[in-house]
Amino acid sequence: NARRRNLVAGVFLDACRANPEVAGLALKYLGTPPADSFWLPVRTAILGGLQGVACVQTAHGLVEPGRCLLRGADRTAAHVPEALLQSACGLSFATDANPQEALRDLGVRTFGFDDLVACLRHDGGAWMKALWADALRSSRLSDIYGSLADALRSASEPERLEIVQSLKVFPIAGLTDDVVFGTCVGLHTGICDDVPREWQLPLVQCLSSDLELSAQGRKLLHLVGVAVVDECRLEELALQRLVLGEHVAPSSLGGAAASLWAALAVLRRCYLMGRRPPRPWKELRGA
């Protein structure tokens, strides 16, 4: 009996390789783990042999288990177009027609952080621009930010934070008539209430006010340090503009001249209010 049993897996796999129709039904035939442990070696051998067989149903037809993903429960995965996953990752989503337990036994993994990052970076961030044109853009971006926040909180790899900080997924306010996405570096959610608005806009880069994030989406902003600009940070930006010549928020809001005037106004206010500047006043004299 054991000798005959051991022939089953080879015959089954040969049939799958020879006939795509049989391969398309392979996971259904495979079923769940057998109750009788005598047959477990057969199922194990078939699972190993199917790794190189196009037997998983996707929107693009049958593919090998290593070339597909499960969408999983992450809400962001539901927004990822099939064509984008194909172009960015060379993968396809397994359809619901596949037995889910068999997919897991085959080692088909679920859409995750690395896949999301690849999709966000693909074609210069074209997906984010397309989502911005969607009427549900705030909901879509909230889901993406929430997924990134979950990945940061649950991961032990510190490099994930650097990866997220490098992603151009934040719509910037006031740069051009068309949306421009930037990184979280130097980004703020709003300006300081205690300083005139016109002094801040040429210096401070803010998240677009057209984006209304959910509580889950706002968690990412907290994790990457995006918050309302305070007076200390505003004075640092003014100093960078004056001493280092850095045009901190290169926008259409008056250009270089406006940012220079704004920086002078901010530091003058700092001096008149007796505040401690980012660098001692004596060091700034003649700078």
Side-chain angles (χ1 to χ4, degrees):
N1 287 340
R3 181 172 57 83
R4 292 175 179 175
R5 177 203 64 186
N6 294 339
L7 296 175
V8 172
V11 173
F12 180 80
L13 291 170
D14 287 343
C16 291
R17 296 186 185 106
N19 191 327
E21 291 185 8
V22 175
L25 297 171
L27 301 190
K28 181 179 179 181
Y29 292 149
L30 185 62
T32 58
D36 188 344
S37 60
F38 177 80
W39 294 103
L40 280 176
V42 177
R43 193 172 193 274
T44 301
I46 291 174
L47 287 171
L50 287 177
Q51 293 300 324
V53 177
C55 60
V56 180
Q57 298 182 46
T58 73
H60 302 283
L62 295 174
V63 302
E64 295 88 347
R67 293 180 54 202
C68 62
L69 295 174
L70 296 168
R71 283 192 186 268
D74 193 318
R75 294 178 63 180
T76 295
H79 308 320
V80 178
E82 289 279 351
L84 173 60
L85 186 66
Q86 272 277 340
S87 300
C89 305
L91 300 170
S92 301
F93 283 117
T95 68
D96 293 337
N98 297 282
Q100 299 301 299
E101 185 172 0
L103 291 177
R104 288 190 289 270
D105 290 344
L106 281 168
V108 176
R109 62 182 182 84
T110 302
F111 182 86
F113 176 76
D114 292 338
D115 308 300
L116 176 56
V117 169
C119 289
L120 292 171
R121 286 177 170 169
H122 181 67
D123 194 19
W127 183 36
M128 292 298 293
K129 295 173 185 176
L131 289 176
W132 190 253
D134 192 311
L136 297 175
R137 62 186 176 194
S138 289
S139 174
R140 301 288 188 255
L141 267 64
S142 290
D143 288 343
I144 291 173
Y145 291 1
S147 295
L148 292 173
D150 288 342
L152 290 180
R153 288 199 302 267
S154 62
S156 58
E157 305 96 326
E159 61 270 16
R160 278 196 177 183
L161 178 58
E162 296 179 8
I163 292 173
V164 172
Q165 289 174 330
S166 72
L167 294 175
K168 293 184 177 182
V169 295
F170 300 96
I172 309 301
L175 290 181
T176 66
D177 291 335
D178 297 325
V179 64
V180 173
F181 286 89
T183 70
C184 64
V185 178
L187 184 64
H188 300 275
T189 55
I191 58 177
C192 178
D193 290 336
D194 298 325
V195 180
R197 176 182 176 85
E198 60 271 21
W199 295 0
Q200 300 183 66
L201 294 181
L203 297 172
V204 181
Q205 187 166 271
C206 288
L207 192 67
S208 173
S209 59
D210 293 330
L211 180 61
E212 300 177 3
L213 290 175
S214 66
Q216 183 71 6
R218 288 194 295 272
K219 290 179 181 178
L220 178 64
L221 302 184
H222 174 72
L223 289 172
V224 298
V226 177
V228 174
V229 70
D230 58 22
E231 288 183 87
C232 291
R233 177 56 181 158
L234 184 60
E235 289 159 3
E236 290 175 1
L237 292 173
L239 185 63
Q240 290 175 30
R241 175 64 184 94
L242 291 174
V243 177
L244 303 179
E246 296 181 7
H247 193 188
V248 182
S251 70
S252 59
L253 302 175
S259 66
L260 179 61
W261 177 87
L264 289 169
V266 167
L267 288 183
R268 178 177 181 273
R269 176 182 181 278
C270 174
Y271 177 78
L272 293 177
M273 294 188 67
R275 292 176 52 81
R276 179 178 297 177
R279 286 172 54 182
W281 291 116
K282 63 181 180 179
E283 292 184 14
L284 296 178
R285 186 178 297 118

